[in-house]
Amino acid sequence: MDMLQAHHPLAQQGLFLLILAGSLYLFISERLRVDVTAMLTLLALVLAGVLDARQALSGFASEPAIIVAAVFVISGGLAATGITERIGQAIGRAAGHSESRAIAVVMPAVAALSSFTHHVMVTAMMLPILTRFARQRGMSASRLLMPMSFAASLGTTLTLVSAPAFLLADNLIERTGAEGLGIFSITPIGLALVAIGVVYMLLARWLLPRRLGALGGDGYLRLDRYRTELVVVEGSRWNTRPMADLQKAQGEGVRLLGWLRDGQLRDDLSLQSSVLVGDILLLEASADALASLHDDPGLDLQPIARYRGQASGDGEAQLVQAVVAPASEFIGHSIRELDFARRFHAVIAGLWRRDGDVPPRLAEARLREGDLLVLWGRPSQFAELAAHHGFLMLVPFAGEARRRVRAPVALAILALTVLAAATEWLPASLAFLLGAVAMVATRCVDVEQAYREIDVRIFVMIAGVIPLGIAMEQTGTAQLLASGLLHVVAGWPALAVLLVMFTVAALLTQILSDAATTVLLGPVAVELAQSLGLAPTPFVVCTALGAVVAFLTPIGHHGNLLILGPGQYRFSDFLRLGLPLTALIALVCAWMSRWLWLGGPLLPGG
């Protein structure tokens, strides 16, 4: 016997169960990050002789891991071109003024967004939009955030690629020799779940808590009232075009406060007036819009254009933020008086102030304690600024440029990617990988940002837990557990067994991720189906659905954790609303899975 290797089936099962117990403990306790736990599990399986090196590393080349990484990049491209932001704002406008209409509009729209992008990203995007929407209309944000978060999770059931659990389920089904799932195989179930979710939330609105929420929309996640000045440069594509076109291109993140032409403040110029080279626009902009304006080759931030030559030093110029400290020597002095460019070789390009007015011209603003300055300069000069007692901190600028002019390209790439995968012209993994590469190649998203968009923890965790499922099958542990479960459900109809698999997964996913739950229970579902002499597909799909759309606690989905604070929700709020909804979803999932893959009736009594 090799070191740590046992060939006897019982010995291998024992070793596997010990490794599994240790993995579950680490996953649940979160003593280590999930990706680190997944890698430790993988190494333990190899050292114990349960898997060989090729099997252990197979997860990194698997379709689920490749598709998940590609979807993160494609989502990043949609965000970087402003598509997701515009859609979110359009949803807010369409929601009207009544609570019921807001729920009826927001939930299907958010679900549709989540079908091809990461649902946590969609939740994060919609969170400030909905909190601001609720405040403006005198509503309670807690009445809207939970339906929105639930809809984001329900939307992941509309396509195969929107949740890792479904990709893992497809991988498992294909390993059994059965036909794999297509990109829209689960869509009928997803459409039914979204419709039921919307109807349920409209009927059960009285169960939603009415709380003010911990944070307002303007202050959450990002500051959005930076004062800056913009100059239209020679050769600008905006020259002679209406100001309305520029504002439309930047979305709702830009507000025109004043317009200087030939050094004179002009009251007669409006959004319909043409922009000319040399015009200076006095603006209030969000962080993303300010970064986008700075990134536009036809525009320049006026302070940078004026003092660019004085920003000496090494490295590529960049934007940073600094907070004016209490008792700072800068307090009470105007930006013009400080002569910041000459003194620090950096330029004040923007100003954010929590309360109080700011003069029309940025240079005339007298600094106050707590003012946040957007500085432009070179890294070699920032060391002096960071050490200066006049500032509390020096941090990277929070805004990301939106390449809105490339939005049509990003949409075309997404459409072609989905078409190639849906028609099976290319394997799904290759189609989405090609889509991700196209997003970078067409400069919809920078390659550095594309790498940042990939959640490495999720990628590594998926690559690490796939071998866990292989080991569960190979050691016979899945068959052992299925045999035990079979004794319980022997003689039960297929619908009841499907409900059992959904329920077990729904409970386990409250402490594990949807991917880990699917990997652990998927092989059991396969063995159970084979013992019953039935196709494994509906049992594996029901298991994955239970892992993805169980709303029993706030910890079952990361999106729910995002809204927990802003909505001032309690644990009991999720149980009160989520338990009946999850029970309803379980019945629909089992019923439709039986109809799709076992030839059962679609309508009761059919």
Side-chain angles (χ1 to χ4, degrees), residues 142-162:
S142 61
R143 306 276 291 178
L144 301 177
L145 294 182
M146 190 182 289
M148 180 271 291
S149 179
F150 282 9
S153 294
L154 289 171
T156 61
T157 63
L158 291 171
T159 62
L160 188 73
V161 300
S162 48

Side-chain angles (χ1 to χ4, degrees), residues 357-444:
D357 296 328
V358 179
R361 294 304 307 268
L362 190 63
E364 304 302 326
R366 294 189 177 276
L367 298 184
R368 301 178 185 177
E369 175 187 334
D371 280 354
L372 190 148
L373 306 178
V374 180
L375 306 175
W376 179 86
R378 303 189 184 278
S380 59
Q381 298 297 332
F382 290 149
E384 180 185 352
L385 282 169
H388 198 284
H389 59 82
F391 296 121
L392 285 178
M393 64 183 77
L394 202 68
V395 295
F397 184 58
E400 290 186 358
R402 298 286 185 240
R403 304 178 174 199
R404 298 178 190 276
V405 70
R406 302 196 181 276
V409 178
L411 281 174
I413 291 171
L414 175 64
L416 290 173
T417 299
V418 173
L419 183 65
T423 59
E424 298 184 357
W425 181 65
L426 290 174
S429 55
L430 190 57
F432 278 86
L433 183 60
L434 193 60
V437 172
M439 283 286 186
V440 176
T442 56
R443 293 184 295 159
C444 290

Side-chain angles (χ1 to χ4, degrees), residues 280-351:
I280 297 175
L281 308 173
L282 312 182
L283 305 173
E284 202 169 68
S286 68
D288 288 343
L290 195 151
S292 300
L293 295 167
H294 173 59
D295 206 45
D296 192 313
L299 305 168
D300 204 353
L301 298 179
Q302 164 64 5
I304 296 176
R306 184 173 180 181
Y307 297 106
R308 190 184 303 274
Q310 297 186 36
S312 60
D314 300 324
E316 185 178 351
Q318 58 187 262
L319 294 173
V320 299
Q321 296 180 120
V323 179
V324 178
S328 169
E329 64 186 75
F330 305 136
I331 294 175
H333 293 281
S334 71
I335 292 175
R336 188 192 306 280
E337 290 170 351
L338 290 174
D339 199 6
F340 217 77
R342 183 186 60 80
R343 184 175 177 185
F344 293 105
H345 302 287
V347 178
I348 299 177
L351 167 69

Side-chain angles (χ1 to χ4, degrees), residues 157 186-194 541 545 588-589 592-593 596-597:
T157 63
I186 60 171
T187 303
I189 300 175
L191 290 171
L193 295 185
V194 171
V541 168
L545 286 165
V588 172
C589 289
M592 293 198 68
S593 294
L596 285 169
W597 292 289

Side-chain angles (χ1 to χ4, degrees), residues 262-298:
D262 300 325
Q264 300 297 316
L265 191 62
R266 297 281 296 270
D267 295 330
D268 57 322
L269 298 176
S270 67
L271 291 177
Q272 274 59 54
S273 303
S274 296
V275 175
L276 300 178
V277 170
D279 283 358
I280 297 175
L281 308 173
L282 312 182
L283 305 173
E284 202 169 68
S286 68
D288 288 343
L290 195 151
S292 300
L293 295 167
H294 173 59
D295 206 45
D296 192 313

Side-chain angles (χ1 to χ4, degrees), residues 309-590:
Q310 297 186 36
S312 60
D314 300 324
E316 185 178 351
Q318 58 187 262
L319 294 173
V320 299
Q321 296 180 120
V323 179
V324 178
S328 169
E329 64 186 75
F330 305 136
I331 294 175
H333 293 281
S334 71
I335 292 175
R336 188 192 306 280
E337 290 170 351
L338 290 174
D339 199 6
F340 217 77
R342 183 186 60 80
R343 184 175 177 185
F344 293 105
H345 302 287
V347 178
I348 299 177
L351 167 69
W352 178 88
R353 177 170 289 168
R354 180 177 296 277
D355 298 306
D357 296 328
V358 179
R361 294 304 307 268
L362 190 63
E364 304 302 326
R366 294 189 177 276
L367 298 184
R368 301 178 185 177
E369 175 187 334
D371 280 354
L372 190 148
L373 306 178
V374 180
L375 306 175
W376 179 86
R378 303 189 184 278
S380 59
Q381 298 297 332
F382 290 149
E384 180 185 352
L385 282 169
H388 198 284
H389 59 82
F391 296 121
L392 285 178
M393 64 183 77
L394 202 68
V395 295
F397 184 58
E400 290 186 358
R402 298 286 185 240
R403 304 178 174 199
R404 298 178 190 276
V405 70
R406 302 196 181 276
V409 178
L411 281 174
I413 291 171
L414 175 64
L416 290 173
T417 299
V418 173
L419 183 65
T423 59
E424 298 184 357
W425 181 65
L426 290 174
S429 55
L430 190 57
F432 278 86
L433 183 60
L434 193 60
V437 172
M439 283 286 186
V440 176
T442 56
R443 293 184 295 159
C444 290
V445 60
D446 286 329
V447 65
E448 293 85 2
Q449 188 180 347
Y451 281 121
R452 287 198 305 270
E453 291 293 338
I454 299 172
D455 192 330
V456 178
R457 292 175 302 172
I458 301 294
F459 176 80
V460 173
M461 187 197 74
I462 289 173
V465 297
I466 283 178
L468 192 63
I470 295 172
M472 197 170 190
E473 296 174 58
Q474 193 165 287
T475 58
T477 308
Q479 187 177 0
L480 186 68
L481 294 174
S483 299
L485 194 56
L486 186 61
H487 286 302
V488 177
V489 300
W492 289 19
L495 182 66
V497 180
L498 290 169
L499 281 169
V500 167
M501 291 311 303
F502 182 100
T503 303
V504 174
L507 293 172
L508 190 58
T509 200
Q510 303 308 312
I511 53 175
L512 293 180
S513 70
D514 57 354
T517 300
T518 303
V519 165
L520 290 177
L521 293 180
V524 176
V526 170
E527 292 291 341
L528 190 59
Q530 291 173 346
S531 300
L532 294 169
L534 297 172
T537 302
F539 295 88
V540 177
V541 168
C542 256
T543 302
L545 286 165
V548 171
V549 286
F551 305 110
L552 302 176
T553 68
I555 60 176
H557 297 274
H558 292 157
N560 288 342
L561 293 175
L562 272 182
I563 66 167
L564 198 60
Q568 286 194 334
Y569 293 114
R570 304 188 184 105
F571 195 95
S572 58
D573 295 329
F574 287 88
L575 189 62
R576 185 173 65 250
L577 271 147
L579 183 58
L581 179 58
T582 303
L584 193 58
I585 286 171
L587 185 59
V588 172
C589 289

